[in-house]
Amino acid sequence: MQLNGSEIVVECLKEQGVDTVFGYPGGSILNIYDALYKHSDEIRHILTSHEQGAAHAADGYARATGKVGVCMATSGPGATNLVTGIATAYMDSVPMVAITANVTLPMLGKDSFQEVDIAGVTMPITKHGYIVKNVQDLADTLRRAFAIARSGRPGPVLVDITKDVTAAVCEYTPVLPEKQERVCLCSREELKLAADYIMAAKKPYIYLGGGAIISDACEEVAAFAELIDAPVCDTLMGKGGFDGRSPRYTGMIGMHGTKTSNLGVSQCDLLIALGARFSDRVIGNPGKFAEGAKIIHIDVDAAEINKNIRVDASLVGDLKVVLQKLNGYLTPQEHGEWMQTIAQLKEKYPLRYDQDRLSCPYIIETVDRVTEGEALITTDVGQHQMWAAQYYHYTKPRTFLSSGGLGTMGYGLGACIGAQLGQPDKICINIAGDGCFRMNMNELATASRYHIPIIQIVINNHVLGMVRQWQTLFYGKRYSQTVLSDKVDFCKVAEGLGCAAIRVTEKEEIGPALEKAIALKAPVVIECVIPEDDKVFPMVPAGASITEVFDGEDLR
């Protein structure tokens, strides 16, 4: 059939099973928006308040569902406003296709109105980027973009289309999307070597990353942990990849990880990294990380092997498939003494906070209790993010969405909107600090426009909390540009943008506020006012060994 480029875009989205697109129109992309208008009964378009919000919403949708998220923007500033969201998705291996429309082909390279080389701008932060200059190439390019976004280690792909291509006509033939094959590139010898290390270990430890969630390998991880009788720690991205209520679970590892995880990994004789990348926030001083242990690294991306930490054995491939194969080489192990040692560490070093007043850890624990651990939590970046990772028990994958690699302030609200649209039966709660919330709080208007029942908790300490914590500990209490004590009233802002608002200042108020917000089934902001000098502990100084983990008790 003969279709113009804009209709081909829509047909390709339908081919790929896309039901929701997040974006913002403009001159160069008007033809595509006209086609979307004609297919609004098949593809839902969510008009965000800003293109960055669209990218974060597509990201949240992708993380919550496992599908490819899609965002759109026009040329120039519309396209560049997507950049932070694309980079966020790239750093956390999130499948996303960003579709932009550029000026017409004859106007490219002439500094035309709203012309930007967005493919060039995003080259370092995408898996691949395309500029479509011929309508004959459009359908196959979009199909390749979706395949690349979801294959192997997922990530964002940019497709930039000149405006004349969106109007040009050519023959379109529907094609079924190609099936995604799970790859396993490790040999029998490599599997046997890894199995030998595991069978010889007396003190194994599993270090779990986001790859376990991306590859849907959580059942295999649980079976593996039982088979080799080992404790499990996770990264920020790995939350929910292993049952956070399991006796084997020891909490997060790294800069704000538990003492049990940091000290336990430092005492193990075999560390098994599953879909993790040995981030600097996890390993601290690489020369002192798990010094006495052999290390096995399983990851789908061969480029991550030996990048930050030298390993003794590696298995490259989709974690789900690799674990299925590896489990076949193993017999059940027993490490009762080692598990007892870890249990003693957990008992000796529990997470602690001041129980006498309203604090973010208490708020997080209350969210956990009220939602019975069944909510989908998104966060922004900072102290509240770490508290949300520490004090909520994540038992299922795709229930904790946060910007790990890029650390994007302003990520959470857009992501929460996308997550709720992808998982409408979930209670979706975004937890943000007051500094982060200011970044993209305009997306409350998106939530109210579409009656999206998200709950936005603002942890308001009137400062940039994590930066202030560093200034307190390492910069002689010189609070340069981190105090936010101004006249902004978040509850009035929320009401002005069409949302309900509740302010909480006492411990006994947070439970009823949450219950009311859930019952309203509407977008609600809960502002929680806490002291400015609450700190996230435990903590490892940047670049130090993770054995140097300390908490408030140690400081005192």
Side-chain angles (χ1 to χ4, degrees), residues 258-339:
T258 63
K259 281 191 172 185
T260 301
S261 292
N262 285 343
L263 297 177
V265 164
S266 301
Q267 295 172 22
C268 74
D269 64 1
L270 177 68
L271 182 65
I272 307 159
L274 305 180
R277 61 186 179 86
F278 295 96
S279 156
D280 60 301
R281 286 295 175 104
V282 166
I283 66 175
N285 183 337
K288 296 185 177 180
F289 181 73
E291 284 182 281
K294 291 193 179 298
I295 299 176
I296 299 171
H297 191 183
I298 306 176
D299 203 277
V300 75
D301 186 356
E304 290 296 340
I305 307 298
N306 294 320
K307 186 174 86 173
N308 295 332
I309 290 288
R310 299 294 300 179
V311 301
D312 298 278
S314 61
L315 301 172
V316 177
D318 182 277
L319 184 60
K320 188 180 188 76
V321 177
V322 173
L323 282 181
Q324 287 171 351
K325 290 180 179 290
L326 181 59
N327 285 350
Y329 284 80
L330 301 170
T331 56
Q333 303 293 295
E334 288 187 17
H335 301 112
E337 187 176 336
W338 172 234
M339 291 302 296

Side-chain angles (χ1 to χ4, degrees), residues 146-160:
F146 275 87
I148 291 169
R150 65 166 72 95
S151 65
R153 179 178 183 172
V157 178
L158 178 101
V159 181
D160 191 36

Side-chain angles (χ1 to χ4, degrees), residues 158-211:
L158 178 101
V159 181
D160 191 36
I161 310 166
T162 61
K163 186 173 183 179
D164 44 351
V165 167
T166 68
V169 174
C170 76
E171 184 70 19
Y172 165 78
T173 304
V175 175
L176 289 173
E178 55 187 79
K179 275 199 166 183
Q180 212 61 53
E181 295 296 327
R182 293 183 178 271
V183 298
C184 182
L185 304 178
C186 46
S187 67
R188 181 177 298 181
E189 290 72 25
E190 288 171 324
L191 286 163
K192 181 70 167 56
L193 177 62
D196 287 345
Y197 281 139
I198 293 168
M199 301 287 275
K202 303 296 183 189
K203 298 186 292 182
Y205 219 117
I206 295 170
Y207 151 48
L208 188 69

Side-chain angles (χ1 to χ4, degrees), residues 42-57:
E42 297 169 284
I43 297 178
R44 169 178 53 180
H45 180 278
I46 301 298
L47 176 65
T48 55
S49 299
H50 189 281
E51 291 90 352
Q52 185 180 339
H56 292 327

Side-chain angles (χ1 to χ4, degrees), residues 185-245:
L185 304 178
C186 46
S187 67
R188 181 177 298 181
E189 290 72 25
E190 288 171 324
L191 286 163
K192 181 70 167 56
L193 177 62
D196 287 345
Y197 281 139
I198 293 168
M199 301 287 275
K202 303 296 183 189
K203 298 186 292 182
Y205 219 117
I206 295 170
Y207 151 48
L208 188 69
I213 295 167
I214 292 167
S215 64
D216 297 319
C218 303
E219 288 184 12
E220 286 76 11
V221 170
F224 179 66
E226 288 295 323
L227 187 60
I228 70 170
D229 194 23
V232 180
C233 65
D234 59 16
T235 67
L236 189 71
M237 293 292 95
K239 289 285 166 193
F242 189 80
D243 184 352
R245 299 185 190 275

